[in-house]
């Protein structure tokens, strides 16, 4: 019954979900990458074109979205953002926007998983409270959890509660299950209050802590967030257009962002399509 409700919600949000039995297994021996980000557009804005290149190269790609991206709004909004992420990944893979839905237990906690039909892509949604704190979620935030200001944080759909260590262990379990050679995340070297979003840093801090528990040889790469727009343009025009195209597939599901090519090019989002700055890396077993 619960799975049927999940399927119905996704259909309303715009993604097409089918029986989990229809999902094809990953190709044997494919190179695996993992992205750990805070919100459902962070990978598109700050890590791309590296995500789309991984997909184009036939790599098995998993992305974990740590927060619900809810902005304190009702479920229709954050479910729409999840549908936008699904649409963007289907567009990057060049396949129909058809997914399976199930839950996976990682370090003892249930996480929603969606698997793209026709490409080795999986999305994980932890659905933790988003932003700088909202009354509807008791002002819980990732940075309060990481700093120890709060002892636990609860997924906004009620599926799980995490302590600081439990969230680190869950992300480490994602890595162990997926076996990535590269883990991509946001800026784990910057500090809160430096102009980037606190969720960006905090998701990256958790990813860094988790990667140190993941023993398979791999690299962790951190990408600059909001502050990248202060740096020189470093992507050629055709790559900028690709970034914009994938973002627009997402944006049709998010009422709070630009939703046309002209609006995105000319507004606050425009500079983000012209830049991508990996600013830090570290390795385990290499």
């Amino acid at each position: 019954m619960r799975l049927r409700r999940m399927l119905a919600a996704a259909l309303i949000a715009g993604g097409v979900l089918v029986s989990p039995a229809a999902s094809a297994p990953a190709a044997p021996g494919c190179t695996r990458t993992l992205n750990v980000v805070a919100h459902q557009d962070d990978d598109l804005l700050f890590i791309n074109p590296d995500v789309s290149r991984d997909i184009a190269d036939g790599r098995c790609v998993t992305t974990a979205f740590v927060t619900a991206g809810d902005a304190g709004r009702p479920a229709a909004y954050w479910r729409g953002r999840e549908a936008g992420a699904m649409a963007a990944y289907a567009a990057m893979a060049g396949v129909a926007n058809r997914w399976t839905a199930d839950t996976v237990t990682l370090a003892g906690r249930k996480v929603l998983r969606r698997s793209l039909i026709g490409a080795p892509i999986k999305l994980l949604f932890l659905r933790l409270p988003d932003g700088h704190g909202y009354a509807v979620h008791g002002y819980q935030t990732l940075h309060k959890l990481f700093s120890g200001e709060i002892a636990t944080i609860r997924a906004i759909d009620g599926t799980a509660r995490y302590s600081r260590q439990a969230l680190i262990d869950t992300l480490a379990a994602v890595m162990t299950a997926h076996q990535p050679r590269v883990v991509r995340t946001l800026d784990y070297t910057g500090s809160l209050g430096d102009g980037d979003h606190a969720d960006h840093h905090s998701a990256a801090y958790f990813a860094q802590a988790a990667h140190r528990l993941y023993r398979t040889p791999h690299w962790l790469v951190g990408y600059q967030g909001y502050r990248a727009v202060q740096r020189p343009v470093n992507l050629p025009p055709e790559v900028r257009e690709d970034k914009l195209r994938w973002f627009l597939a997402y944006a049709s599901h998010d009422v709070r962002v630009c939703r046309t090519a002209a609006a995105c090019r000319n507004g606050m989002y425009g500079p983000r399509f012209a830049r991508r700055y990996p600013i830090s890396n570290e390795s385990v077993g290499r």
Side-chain angles (χ1 to χ4, degrees):
M1 177 64 71
R2 187 169 177 272
L3 180 57
R4 286 199 295 271
R5 288 198 297 268
M6 289 165 50
L7 296 176
L11 287 168
I12 292 170
V16 177
L17 301 183
V18 301
S19 166
S23 180
C30 66
T31 301
R32 297 169 184 267
T33 62
L34 171 68
N35 310 298
V36 180
V37 295
H39 311 116
Q40 290 77 12
D41 57 357
D42 292 342
D43 45 342
L44 304 175
L45 292 170
F46 307 122
I47 300 180
N48 250 351
D50 293 2
V51 177
S52 59
R53 286 173 178 165
D54 284 344
I55 294 170
D57 288 344
R59 294 174 179 159
C60 295
V61 175
T62 294
T63 297
F65 299 100
V66 180
T67 81
D70 59 282
R73 294 184 168 214
Y77 175 69
W78 54 263
R79 289 187 187 278
R81 296 195 73 178
E82 292 181 359
M86 294 163 62
Y89 275 83
M92 287 189 285
V95 300
N97 187 19
R98 300 174 66 243
W99 299 75
T100 67
D102 63 359
T103 58
V104 58
T105 300
L106 298 162
R109 285 160 178 81
K110 292 183 177 179
V111 175
L112 177 67
R113 176 174 61 187
R114 292 186 175 167
S115 303
L116 182 59
I117 305 300
I121 294 171
K122 298 183 185 299
L123 305 181
L124 302 175
F125 298 100
L126 276 66
R127 293 178 170 174
L128 299 183
D130 162 54
H132 303 288
Y134 296 96
V136 67
H137 305 311
Y139 299 100
Q140 299 174 86
T141 65
L142 283 180
H143 68 268
K144 287 180 180 179
L145 184 69
F146 192 83
S147 69
E149 186 175 342
I150 59 175
T152 62
I153 193 169
R154 186 178 181 182
I156 66 172
D157 63 355
T159 54
R161 184 182 292 275
Y162 298 85
S163 65
R164 182 182 188 274
Q165 190 60 50
L167 182 52
I168 293 169
D169 290 345
T170 299
L171 293 175
V174 172
M175 296 174 193
T176 299
H178 185 60
Q179 289 289 296
R181 295 186 184 179
V182 178
V183 177
R184 307 189 194 281
T185 191
L186 300 172
D187 181 7
Y188 56 82
T189 62
S191 57
L192 298 180
D194 66 2
D196 202 353
H197 197 300
D199 280 351
H200 295 171
H201 282 316
S202 299
Y205 298 159
F206 277 107
Q208 182 189 36
H211 112 93
R212 291 174 175 172
L213 300 179
Y214 168 49
R215 305 317 305 169
T216 300
H218 69 281
W219 285 95
L220 175 74
V221 184
Y223 293 75
Q224 196 160 37
Y226 289 163
R227 294 193 301 156
V229 301
Q230 301 167 12
R231 305 180 72 168
V233 169
N234 65 349
L235 295 177
E238 64 275 13
V239 174
R240 299 177 215 170
E241 288 303 299
D242 283 343
K243 279 190 69 168
L244 174 58
R245 182 153 46 102
W246 312 141
F247 181 79
L248 287 173
Y250 161 83
S252 63
H253 300 270
D254 185 345
V255 298
R256 300 185 73 204
V257 302
C258 58
R259 305 180 83 180
T260 67
C264 287
R265 288 192 192 100
N266 298 323
M268 62 176 286
Y269 284 85
R272 300 175 189 175
F273 302 117
R275 295 162 174 84
R276 183 270 280 114
Y277 274 95
I279 56 171
S280 55
N281 66 78
E282 60 187 60
S283 65
V284 167
R286 294 198 181 268

